[in-house]
Coordinates of all heavy atoms in Angstrom, one line a residue:
T183 N -11.1 0.1 -1.2 CA -12.2 -0.4 -0.3 C -11.7 -1.2 0.8 O -12.2 -1.0 2.0 CB -13.2 -1.3 -1.2 OG1 -13.6 -0.4 -2.3 CG2 -14.3 -1.7 -0.3
E184 N -10.8 -2.1 0.6 CA -10.2 -3.0 1.7 C -9.4 -2.2 2.7 O -9.3 -2.6 3.8 CB -9.5 -4.2 1.1 CG -10.4 -5.2 0.3 CD -10.7 -4.7 -1.1 OE1 -10.1 -3.7 -1.5 OE2 -11.6 -5.3 -1.6
Q185 N -8.7 -1.2 2.3 CA -7.8 -0.4 3.1 C -8.5 0.7 3.9 O -8.0 1.1 4.9 CB -6.6 0.2 2.3 CG -5.7 -0.8 1.6 CD -6.3 -1.5 0.4 OE1 -7.0 -0.9 -0.4 NE2 -6.0 -2.8 0.2
A186 N -9.6 1.1 3.5 CA -10.3 2.2 4.1 C -11.0 1.7 5.5 O -11.2 0.5 5.7 CB -11.4 2.7 3.2
S187 N -11.2 2.6 6.4 CA -12.0 2.3 7.6 C -13.4 2.9 7.4 O -13.6 4.0 7.1 CB -11.2 3.0 8.8 OG -12.0 2.9 10.0
W188 N -14.4 2.0 7.7 CA -15.8 2.3 7.4 C -16.5 2.6 8.7 O -16.4 1.8 9.6 CB -16.4 1.2 6.6 CG -15.9 1.0 5.2 CD1 -14.8 0.2 5.0 CD2 -16.3 1.6 4.0 NE1 -14.6 0.3 3.6 CE2 -15.5 1.1 3.0 CE3 -17.3 2.4 3.7 CZ2 -15.6 1.5 1.6 CZ3 -17.5 2.8 2.4 CH2 -16.6 2.3 1.4
T189 N -17.4 3.5 8.7 CA -18.3 3.8 9.9 C -19.6 4.2 9.4 O -19.9 4.6 8.3 CB -17.7 4.9 10.8 OG1 -17.6 6.1 9.9 CG2 -16.4 4.6 11.4
S190 N -20.7 3.9 10.4 CA -22.0 4.3 10.1 C -22.4 5.3 11.2 O -22.1 5.2 12.3 CB -22.9 3.1 10.3 OG -24.3 3.5 10.3
S191 N -23.2 6.4 10.7 CA -23.7 7.4 11.7 C -24.7 6.9 12.6 O -25.0 7.5 13.7 CB -24.1 8.7 10.9 OG -25.3 8.3 10.2
N192 N -25.4 5.7 12.2 CA -26.4 5.2 13.1 C -26.5 3.7 12.8 O -27.2 3.2 12.0 CB -27.8 5.8 12.8 CG -28.8 5.4 13.8 OD1 -28.6 4.4 14.6 ND2 -29.9 6.1 13.8
P193 N -25.7 2.9 13.6 CA -25.6 1.5 13.4 C -27.0 0.8 13.7 O -27.1 -0.5 13.4 CB -24.6 1.0 14.4 CG -23.8 2.2 14.7 CD -24.7 3.4 14.6
L194 N -27.9 1.5 14.3 CA -29.3 0.9 14.5 C -30.0 0.8 13.2 O -30.9 0.0 13.0 CB -30.1 1.7 15.5 CG -29.5 1.6 17.0 CD1 -30.4 2.4 17.9 CD2 -29.4 0.2 17.5
V195 N -29.7 1.8 12.3 CA -30.3 1.8 11.0 C -29.7 1.0 10.0 O -30.2 0.2 9.2 CB -30.5 3.3 10.5 CG1 -31.1 3.3 9.1 CG2 -31.4 4.1 11.4
A196 N -28.3 1.1 10.0 CA -27.5 0.3 9.0 C -26.1 0.1 9.6 O -25.5 1.1 10.2 CB -27.5 1.0 7.7
T197 N -25.5 -1.0 9.3 CA -24.2 -1.3 9.7 C -23.3 -1.3 8.5 O -23.8 -1.6 7.4 CB -24.1 -2.6 10.5 OG1 -24.6 -3.7 9.7 CG2 -24.9 -2.6 11.8
I198 N -22.0 -1.1 8.7 CA -21.0 -1.2 7.6 C -19.9 -2.1 8.1 O -19.4 -1.9 9.3 CB -20.5 0.2 7.2 CG1 -19.7 0.1 6.0 CG2 -19.9 0.9 8.3 CD1 -20.3 -0.2 4.7
Q199 N -19.3 -3.0 7.3 CA -18.4 -3.9 7.8 C -16.9 -3.5 7.5 O -16.6 -2.8 6.5 CB -18.6 -5.3 7.1 CG -19.8 -6.0 7.6 CD -19.8 -7.5 7.5 OE1 -18.7 -8.1 7.8 NE2 -20.7 -8.1 6.9
N200 N -16.0 -3.9 8.4 CA -14.6 -3.8 8.2 C -13.9 -5.1 8.3 O -12.7 -5.2 8.2 CB -13.9 -2.8 9.3 CG -14.3 -1.4 9.0 OD1 -13.8 -0.7 8.2 ND2 -15.3 -0.9 9.9
T201 N -14.7 -6.2 8.4 CA -14.2 -7.5 8.4 C -13.5 -7.9 7.2 O -14.0 -7.7 6.0 CB -15.3 -8.5 8.7 OG1 -16.0 -8.1 9.8 CG2 -14.8 -10.0 8.9
P202 N -12.3 -8.5 7.2 CA -11.6 -8.9 6.0 C -12.4 -9.8 5.1 O -13.0 -10.7 5.5 CB -10.4 -9.7 6.5 CG -10.1 -9.1 7.9 CD -11.5 -8.8 8.4
G203 N -12.4 -9.4 3.8 CA -13.3 -10.0 2.9 C -14.6 -9.4 2.7 O -15.3 -9.7 1.7

Side-chain angles (χ1 to χ4, degrees):
T183 304
E184 291 78 13
Q185 292 77 36
S187 176
W188 296 87
T189 58
S190 168
S191 64
N192 189 344
L194 296 178
V195 173
T197 58
I198 186 76
Q199 291 206 46
N200 287 286
T201 305

